[in-house]
Amino acid sequence: MNDIAQRLGVSKTLVSLVLNGKAKEHRISDEVCKKVIDLAEELNYKPNQIAKGLRTGKTNTIGLIIADIANPFFGKLGREIEREAALHGYRVIFCSSDERAENSKTQIEMLQQGQVDGFIISPPAGSQDQILSLEKSKTPYVLVDRFFSEIESSYVVIDNFQASYDAIKHLVKKGFKNIACVTLSARLVTMLDRVEGYKKALEDTGIGFNERFLKILPFSHEKDDVFKAVRELVLDEEESPDAILFTTSKVGIMGLECIHSLGLKVPENVAVVSFDDPDAYRISQPPVSAIAQPLKEIGKQSVQILLDIINSKESNPSRKEIVLKTNFIARKSSEG
Amino acid sequence: MNDIAQRLGVSKTLVSLVLNGKAKEHRISDEVCKKVIDLAEELNYKPNQIAKGLRTGKTNTIGLIIADIANPFFGKLGREIEREAALHGYRVIFCSSDERAENSKTQIEMLQQGQVDGFIISPPAGSQDQILSLEKSKTPYVLVDRFFSEIESSYVVIDNFQASYDAIKHLVKKGFKNIACVTLSARLVTMLDRVEGYKKALEDTGIGFNERFLKILPFSHEKDDVFKAVRELVLDEEESPDAILFTTSKVGIMGLECIHSLGLKVPENVAVVSFDDPDAYRISQPPVSAIAQPLKEIGKQSVQILLDIINSKESNPSRKEIVLKTNFIARKSSEG
DNA sequence: TATTTTTGCTAAACCGTTTTAACAAAGAAG
DNA sequence: CTTCTTTGTTAAAACGGTTTAGCAAAAATA
C-alpha cells in the first residue's frame, strides 16, 4: 500500500479509502480515484489480511470445529459450511476434535486469540464448560448436530426423536416386530433423542419396549464392541430381533460388517435401518435404508445464524433453535 | 499484555521477553520473571496471534487445500495432516477446491495475504499456473496425492504405476483374463500412472492391452457417465470383461452400484478391484479388494517437508519427492 | 578513585492496515 | 472584502504485540 501511495505521490490514507470503496463519502476526486485503482490492479495489490484484522478486529474467518472429519457426514457438512461461508466472504478454519473434549478445548482456545470472528461447533460429550466459556466471553457461536439442553445456545440440529420414530413405524409397517437398537452411550441429546423416538414408536404401535433389544455401546466404540453387541443380539437363542436400528453410520457400518461375517442375510434374517446415508449404504448389497440428514440446509442455516450473531450490534442477539426434518430413504435392507 | 505490565509496574517489553522464554538471554531477574509468569497465569493471558503474526511475519498456520472434502480419502488425510501439524504447534486452515481450478485459485490467493506460512495442496487439474505462481513468490508449499511433471515441486504421492501393476498381477494370478479399467480423463499424473501400470501389467503377463476395455470418463464424472461406461463394458455381447479395475473409489462406488443394479454377481460375473479403501468396500457384499493408501504416512511426511521448507533459511531448499508404497488388500470381490 | 564491564530493564520503532481529526484551498454568501 | 462552506487531501494515532538499541546502576577491574 505504501508502494502505491509513494508512486502516486499521495497518502496511504487516500489509497486505503479508495480501495475500501469509501472514496465517495470522503469526496476523493474521480481522477485520483481512478489512478489508485488502476495502479493497484497493475501491481496486483492484495491487502494484508493480518494487518487488516489487527486494526479492525475482524478476521472474516469462521472457526469450524467438527467432531470427526474422517466421517463423511461431517466431511460433507464441512463442505457445505465452507461453501455458504464463501458466499458471504468468509473463510473457514477447520479443526476435527475426534469426539474428544480435550481436543476441542485446545482448538477453541487456540482460535479464540483473535483468529476467528465466531465458531460453528459440533461439541463432543463433556465439553459443556467450553461452551459456557464461549457464552461468558460473548464469543459468537452456533452448535450443529448436537447441543446441551442445560445451556441456552443457538443451534441447528435435526429432529432426532421424530426420525427414529418414523423409521420404527416404517419397520413395523413392513411387518417387523422384534426391533433392536444399537446406539452409543454418549451423553448427547442427539443420541438420547434417537433412543427415545425408538422407544416411543414401539409403545405407540403396541409392540412395547424390550430392554434386551437395546444395546448401548461404550462411547469410545471400537469395532470389537459393536461386533460383540450385534452378535449378542442376533445369536440369542431365546429371542433374537428381526430388525435393527443403528443410530449412527459408523456403528451401522460396523454392524453390517458383523452381520455379514456371521453369514446372515439382510433383510431375510435381520432387517437394517440406520441414521446417516454414507455411500456405503447405497452400494451395499442389499442397499441399506437410511435416515438422511439435510446437510445443505444445516450448513446454510448454521452459517447464516452465526453471521447474524456476529453482525448484530446488540450484546444479546436472540437465540435461534433450528430443528430440521430428515429424509427417510427406504431401501432393500428393510423390505418385509 | 499492557494490563500485566501496568499492574506490575514494568514495561511491556519485559513481559513480552519473559513470556517468550527470552528472559535468560536478556538477564531478567528470576524474581520479576516469576511475578510476570504468575500474573499471566492468573489472568489467563493468551497473546493475540494476529498481532504477533503481523510483527513476526509468522502465523504458525498451514493452508491445506484438498480436492474434495466429501471424499473420505481426503477427509482422513486431512485429519492426519491436522494431527501432525498440531504436534509441531501449527494450526491448519482447510479448504476444499472440489476439484476445480478456479476454486483453488481463489483459496490460495485468499490465504496468501499473510494468513498462512505455507500450503499443502492436492492440486486440481489445470492449476499449474497457481503452482508456478507459488514457486515465483517463493511461498513454501508441498503437493500431495498429485503433482505436475512439468513443474519441479516437493510432493508426497504413492507409487500409482506399481499399485495398478500389482493389482492387475493379482487378478491375473486369480485367473482373470479380460480385465477392464474405468478411469478419469483428468490430466493428472496420478490417473495416467494408474492406467500405465494397468497396461504394462497386461503386456508383461502376455494378455495384452485391449483398447475396448479402457473406459475414460469425462473429468466431471457424473453418476450417469459411470453407469454408461460400466454398462457398455459388462453388457457387450462380443467381449465383456471378467474383471474391472476402478482407479478411484468415487468411480468404484458408482461402478458397483451399477453392477448391482444390473443384477450381476461379484465376482462370479465380474470381479472388482479399486483404488482407495473407503468403509463401503469393507461392508459391501462381497467386500471389495482395495488398494489402500498410507494416509498417516502421507500426512506426516507432507507436514514435515513443509515445515522444513518454512524453517530453512536458504532461499532454495532442496526438493523432496516422496513416493510411498500402497497396501493391496485382497477381498472376496476378486476371488477367482 | 577512575574506568570498564555487567546487570536489569525500558523507550521507541516497527509490522500494514484503518480511522479520526484536522487543515489548506477554493467557492459561496453576506 | 470578510466569513462560512465545501472540497480534496493528509498526518498521526491506533491495533497488540516483538525487537532493537540504549541507558542507568551496580560490580569489577585498573
Side-chain angles (χ1 to χ4, degrees):
Chain A
M1 195 168 86
N2 258 319
D3 191 25
I4 296 183
Q6 282 181 7
R7 290 199 196 208
L8 259 43
V10 298
S11 71
K12 56 181 185 172
T13 307
L14 191 148
V15 177
S16 170
L17 291 174
V18 169
L19 295 177
N20 284 304
K22 300 187 179 173
K24 276 283 166 303
E25 76 189 78
H26 281 263
R27 322 174 271 258
I28 312 285
S29 65
D30 290 357
E31 188 195 354
V32 179
C33 204
K34 190 172 176 321
K35 273 203 292 188
V36 171
I37 291 174
D38 286 353
L39 185 57
E41 190 95 351
E42 193 187 321
L43 298 179
N44 192 25
Y45 166 79
K46 297 277 166 53
N48 179 317
Q49 297 298 333
I50 291 279
K52 201 165 182 163
L54 178 58
R55 175 65 228 223
T56 61
K58 281 223 41 170
T59 59
N60 273 271
T61 304
I62 293 174
L64 171 61
I65 298 178
I66 60 183
D68 181 11
I69 180 56
N71 180 334
F73 165 70
F74 285 113
K76 288 179 184 168
L77 177 58
R79 180 170 66 178
E80 297 303 336
I81 287 177
E82 199 207 351
R83 203 171 273 175
E84 181 68 22
L87 285 181
H88 297 272
Y90 272 74
R91 282 169 276 283
V92 174
I93 294 193
F94 144 95
C95 297
S96 175
S97 67
D98 288 6
E99 294 285 12
R100 297 173 54 158
E102 319 105 78
N103 290 352
S104 70
K105 181 167 186 174
T106 318
Q107 291 159 345
I108 291 175
E109 285 177 352
M110 178 176 85
L111 294 181
Q112 224 177 345
Q113 338 302 339
Q115 297 262 108
V116 302
D117 294 342
F119 289 93
I120 295 178
I121 306 175
S122 55
S127 63
Q128 282 88 336
D129 53 335
Q130 299 161 33
I131 305 303
L132 279 174
S133 139
L134 288 177
E135 202 57 61
K136 221 192 280 176
S137 63
K138 306 234 180 232
T139 307
Y141 75 93
V142 173
L143 304 185
V144 285
D145 189 59
R146 11 212 144 136
F147 64 96
F148 299 113
S149 44
E150 66 266 39
I151 305 177
E152 284 207 345
S153 306
S154 283
Y155 56 76
V156 181
V157 298
I158 55 164
D159 190 340
N160 289 293
F161 178 91
Q162 194 67 40
S164 269
Y165 191 91
D166 293 347
I168 300 304
K169 281 263 189 167
H170 161 87
L171 285 171
V172 172
K173 199 181 291 171
K174 291 288 180 184
F176 297 100
K177 290 222 156 56
N178 298 316
I179 306 172
C181 174
V182 180
T183 187
L184 296 174
S185 70
R187 295 147 293 159
L188 290 168
V189 251
T190 303
M191 288 304 142
L192 299 178
D193 283 356
R194 291 178 185 181
V195 174
E196 287 309 312
Y198 159 76
K199 287 184 183 170
K200 188 71 171 29
L202 288 178
E203 272 155 26
D204 286 3
T205 51
I207 292 176
F209 166 60
N210 179 345
E211 190 79 53
R212 302 180 57 176
F213 282 168
L214 175 61
K215 289 287 181 186
I216 302 178
L217 301 171
F219 182 49
S220 64
H221 53 304
E222 298 301 321
K223 198 167 165 173
D224 289 349
D225 299 324
V226 182
F227 270 55
K228 179 160 169 278
V230 172
R231 238 184 270 120
E232 281 175 13
L233 281 174
V234 298
L235 299 184
D236 193 302
E237 288 174 13
E238 281 181 56
E239 46 180 2
S240 77
D242 54 10
I244 302 180
L245 166 68
F246 293 104
T247 63
T248 81
S249 61
K250 210 170 158 189
V251 173
I253 286 174
M254 292 194 255
L256 281 162
E257 236 183 312
C258 177
I259 292 171
H260 291 154
S261 74
L262 294 171
L264 296 174
K265 292 274 176 226
V266 176
E268 292 80 358
N269 298 122
V270 60
V272 168
V273 166
S274 169
F275 267 81
D276 302 337
D277 188 25
D279 292 333
Y281 288 171
R282 277 185 296 116
I283 65 156
S284 171
Q285 275 304 71
V288 180
S289 298
I291 299 166
Q293 302 200 28
L295 290 168
K296 233 190 178 94
E297 192 63 18
I298 297 176
K300 197 169 162 181
Q301 296 256 15
S302 57
V303 170
Q304 289 181 354
I305 292 173
L306 179 63
L307 296 190
D308 277 353
I309 297 175
I310 291 174
N311 296 323
S312 81
K313 299 293 165 194
E314 328 157 54
S315 52
N316 265 28
S318 66
R319 287 180 214 297
K320 290 257 172 70
E321 307 183 342
I322 309 288
V323 179
L324 300 169
K325 288 267 160 280
T326 51
N327 179 23
F328 184 79
I329 303 171
R331 298 204 181 97
K332 235 180 129 192
S333 73
S334 61
E335 285 297 315
Chain B
M1 195 169 86
N2 259 319
D3 190 25
I4 296 182
Q6 282 182 8
R7 289 197 196 209
L8 290 168
V10 299
S11 71
K12 57 179 185 171
T13 306
L14 189 146
V15 177
S16 170
L17 291 174
V18 170
L19 295 178
N20 283 305
K22 299 187 178 171
K24 276 283 166 303
E25 76 189 79
H26 282 263
R27 319 174 275 257
I28 311 287
S29 66
D30 290 356
E31 187 195 356
V32 178
C33 204
K34 191 173 176 319
K35 272 203 292 186
V36 171
I37 291 173
D38 286 353
L39 185 56
E41 190 96 351
E42 193 188 320
L43 298 180
N44 192 26
Y45 166 79
K46 297 279 166 51
N48 178 319
Q49 297 297 333
I50 291 279
K52 202 166 182 164
L54 180 57
R55 173 68 226 226
T56 60
K58 283 223 40 167
T59 60
N60 272 271
T61 305
I62 293 174
L64 171 62
I65 297 179
I66 60 182
D68 180 11
I69 180 56
N71 181 334
F73 165 70
F74 285 112
K76 286 179 184 167
L77 178 58
R79 180 170 66 178
E80 296 304 334
I81 287 177
E82 200 208 349
R83 204 172 271 174
E84 182 70 20
L87 286 179
H88 298 272
Y90 272 75
R91 282 170 276 286
V92 174
I93 293 193
F94 144 95
C95 297
S96 175
S97 68
D98 287 7
E99 294 285 12
R100 298 174 54 159
E102 318 105 78
N103 290 351
S104 70
K105 182 169 187 174
T106 319
Q107 290 160 346
I108 291 175
E109 285 177 352
M110 178 175 85
L111 294 181
Q112 224 177 346
Q113 337 303 338
Q115 297 261 110
V116 303
D117 294 342
F119 289 94
I120 295 178
I121 306 175
S122 54
S127 64
Q128 282 88 337
D129 53 334
Q130 298 160 34
I131 305 304
L132 279 174
S133 140
L134 288 177
E135 201 59 59
K136 221 192 280 176
S137 63
K138 306 234 181 233
T139 307
Y141 75 93
V142 174
L143 304 184
V144 287
D145 188 59
R146 11 217 147 127
F147 63 96
F148 299 113
S149 44
E150 65 267 38
I151 306 177
E152 285 207 344
S153 307
S154 284
Y155 56 76
V156 182
V157 297
I158 55 164
D159 190 340
N160 289 293
F161 179 92
Q162 194 66 40
S164 269
Y165 191 92
D166 292 348
I168 300 303
K169 282 264 189 167
H170 161 86
L171 285 171
V172 172
K173 198 180 292 167
K174 291 287 181 183
F176 298 99
K177 290 223 153 58
N178 298 315
I179 305 173
C181 174
V182 179
T183 187
L184 296 175
S185 69
R187 297 146 292 159
L188 290 168
V189 251
T190 303
M191 288 304 143
L192 299 177
D193 283 357
R194 290 177 186 183
V195 174
E196 286 310 312
Y198 159 76
K199 287 183 182 171
K200 188 71 171 25
L202 288 178
E203 272 155 25
D204 286 3
T205 50
I207 292 177
F209 167 59
N210 179 345
E211 190 80 51
R212 301 180 59 178
F213 282 168
L214 176 60
K215 289 287 180 186
I216 302 178
L217 301 172
F219 183 50
S220 63
H221 53 305
E222 298 301 322
K223 197 166 165 173
D224 289 349
D225 298 324
V226 182
F227 269 55
K228 180 161 168 278
V230 173
R231 240 185 268 119
E232 282 175 13
L233 282 174
V234 298
L235 298 184
D236 192 302
E237 287 177 12
E238 281 181 54
E239 45 180 3
S240 76
D242 55 10
I244 302 180
L245 166 68
F246 292 103
T247 62
T248 80
S249 61
K250 210 170 159 189
V251 173
I253 286 174
M254 293 194 253
L256 282 163
E257 232 182 314
C258 177
I259 292 171
H260 290 155
S261 74
L262 294 171
L264 296 174
K265 292 273 176 229
V266 176
E268 291 81 357
N269 299 120
V270 61
V272 167
V273 167
S274 169
F275 268 82
D276 302 335
D277 188 25
D279 292 334
Y281 288 172
R282 277 186 295 115
I283 65 155
S284 171
Q285 275 303 63
V288 179
S289 297
I291 299 166
Q293 302 200 29
L295 290 168
K296 231 187 179 98
E297 193 63 18
I298 298 176
K300 197 170 161 182
Q301 295 256 15
S302 57
V303 170
Q304 288 180 355
I305 292 173
L306 179 63
L307 295 190
D308 277 353
I309 297 175
I310 291 174
N311 297 324
S312 83
K313 299 293 164 193
E314 327 157 54
S315 51
N316 267 28
S318 67
R319 289 182 213 297
K320 291 259 172 68
E321 306 183 343
I322 309 289
V323 179
L324 300 169
K325 287 267 162 279
T326 51
N327 178 24
F328 184 80
I329 303 170
R331 298 205 181 96
K332 234 180 132 193
S333 73
S334 61
E335 285 298 314

